[in-house]
Amino acid sequence: MRSLAAIALCCLAGLLTGCGSNAVRPAQGGHARATPVYPAPTNNPSQDGPPSAAEIPANVADIPDAVPLLEPKSNSGNPDSYEVYGDHYVILKDARGYKERGYASWYGKKFQGKRTSSGEPYDMFKMTAAHKTLPIPCYARVTNIDNGRSVVVRINDRGPFHEGRIIDLSYTAAVKLGSLGKGSIPVEVEAIDPSMPTPTTQYAAAPRPAPPAPPPPPQQVAVVVPPRPPVTVAPAPPPTIPAPTVATTAPMTAAAPAPPRLSMANTLSTTSAGPPVVALPPQATAPGSRYLQAGLFNDPINAVTMREQLNGLGIANVQLKNDVRNGNAVSRVLIGPFVDDELLAVVRKRLSDLQMPAVPVIE
């Protein structure tokens, strides 16, 4: 996933290499059209960049906007809150009413196919974007304040973690807004409520009514009203009140007890069908404590997502630790501390069975 350093280097590389150059390439059907062609990506794997000229679809500027749909929140990427490098972010419960101005950046080939915060692979040729606090997924209209261009994107990732930047666009969304080669652009982001039809949708669903026909000319008609006979009203019979009935209640059946969950603080059995639970008593963490490292990520939101997955499996005592490796900021997911080697081995075996390998470390 994206690291903060990679995004910053991407923007700097875009400014230095002149990513804003345009060229004309033939479109399908033999007609020439002005389609932006951008420099080939850098060979430096630590930097992001656009796709190569051969990878760019001929109709990239005509790729349609995202179509807002009513979707449930994804199982990952929606914690109540999270923290990245000392900044605390609270996820909005509802996207309706959100509107903000700031700067937009974009991310491209380096992250193609990588996992987004929603769990979906990133596709730079789709109309998607990353946002720090909007629920995932949701839809938003992004308008380039400089040129008035506007697109609709689907939010399925977290970021960008830069001051002043409020949204990170896919490569295609950046092309359609005219932001490539500029590092970042001023934008307005407004959330879209899929349950409310747009004016275009309303017009298509309700055709314009035909003008009303002129009323017919008035006619004079002589009407003879005969006298009405007197009306006698019979008294209404007294209301009948049904006898009360006694509802019979079927005997209550006791609910079946929930299957037991494995508590590794009290037993080392691995035969339980439930997920493992690491419920270690509170204790001071001294240097040299033993942990299991379940993950190491460049993007801290991926570490938050893994912690959610582990908690959902019933694994407690999950900690996030920020570190620096080879000059790059990383986020580590640690389980523990463990009081004995046997317990550590049991938890490691259970994680391996769940296709989540972990390595022992000493902190």
Side-chain angles (χ1 to χ4, degrees):
M1 277 306 302
R2 296 172 294 113
S3 65
L4 303 181
I7 298 175
L9 288 174
C10 163
C11 298
L12 178 59
L15 293 173
L16 294 177
T17 58
C19 292
S21 60
N22 293 337
V24 176
R25 61 182 295 176
Q28 295 179 353
H31 299 287
R33 53 169 298 155
T35 301
V37 178
Y38 304 98
T42 175
N43 292 327
N44 186 344
S46 66
Q47 295 182 355
D48 193 8
S52 64
E55 295 172 309
I56 302 175
N59 62 340
V60 63
D62 295 329
I63 292 176
D65 287 359
V67 178
L69 300 172
L70 286 171
E71 299 183 67
K73 291 183 180 180
S74 65
N75 293 329
S76 61
N78 287 300
D80 292 336
S81 63
Y82 64 96
E83 187 172 305
V84 176
Y85 302 130
D87 292 326
H88 190 73
Y89 301 96
V90 177
I91 303 299
L92 298 175
K93 300 298 183 184
D94 194 332
R96 288 178 295 183
Y98 171 86
K99 189 174 183 180
E100 185 178 6
R101 287 194 172 196
Y103 283 86
S105 50
W106 62 276
Y107 57 117
K109 185 170 182 177
K110 178 180 178 181
F111 308 102
Q112 181 71 357
K114 301 277 183 75
R115 186 180 185 275
T116 62
S117 297
S118 66
E120 305 161 324
Y122 172 61
D123 188 341
M124 59 183 166
F125 298 120
K126 287 187 177 181
M127 297 295 291
T128 60
H131 195 276
K132 293 187 283 287
T133 59
L134 283 173
I136 290 178
C138 70
Y139 295 83
R141 179 172 296 279
V142 184
T143 303
N144 185 337
I145 296 175
D146 285 342
N147 58 23
R149 297 183 189 177
S150 180
V151 297
V152 175
V153 295
R154 181 174 180 266
I155 308 293
N156 69 343
D157 206 356
R158 291 287 173 222
F161 301 106
H162 292 267
E163 184 176 359
R165 297 188 188 180
I166 59 175
I167 197 167
D168 217 359
L169 303 167
S170 68
Y171 169 80
T172 298
V175 169
K176 296 181 68 173
L177 284 178
S179 68
L180 292 184
K182 298 181 181 180
S184 61
I185 58 169
V187 295
E188 180 177 85
V189 180
E190 184 174 8
I192 296 175
D193 182 0
S195 65
M196 299 296 292
T198 63
T200 302
T201 304
Q202 290 176 334
Y203 181 79
R208 183 177 300 175
Q219 297 181 359
Q220 294 182 354
V221 179
V223 179
V224 178
V225 180
R228 301 178 63 182
V231 178
T232 59
V233 179
T240 302
I241 301 176
T245 58
V246 179
T248 60
T249 305
M252 298 182 61
T253 303
R261 302 178 68 176
L262 175 62
S263 174
M264 294 191 177
N266 303 318
T267 178
L268 299 180
S269 171
T270 60
T271 60
S272 170
V277 177
V278 181
L280 302 179
Q283 56 182 307
T285 303
S289 298
R290 287 163 293 183
Y291 292 82
L292 282 175
Q293 180 173 296
L296 185 149
F297 302 95
N298 290 329
D299 191 341
I301 193 61
N302 287 343
V304 175
T305 300
M306 172 166 273
R307 182 179 64 184
E308 290 179 0
Q309 293 173 342
L310 292 171
N311 292 156
L313 292 172
I315 301 177
N317 296 72
V318 182
Q319 305 178 27
L320 303 183
K321 183 176 181 180
N322 295 328
D323 207 343
V324 177
R325 297 290 176 87
N326 299 324
N328 295 322
V330 296
S331 294
R332 303 164 59 205
V333 182
L334 302 176
I335 304 173
F338 289 89
V339 295
D340 59 73
D341 291 334
E342 190 176 2
L343 179 60
L344 182 146
V346 170
V347 178
R348 187 183 184 190
K349 174 64 168 57
R350 180 57 63 88
L351 290 174
S352 178
D353 294 341
L354 296 173
Q355 304 299 316
M356 300 179 70
V359 295
V361 295
I362 297 178
E363 299 291 325

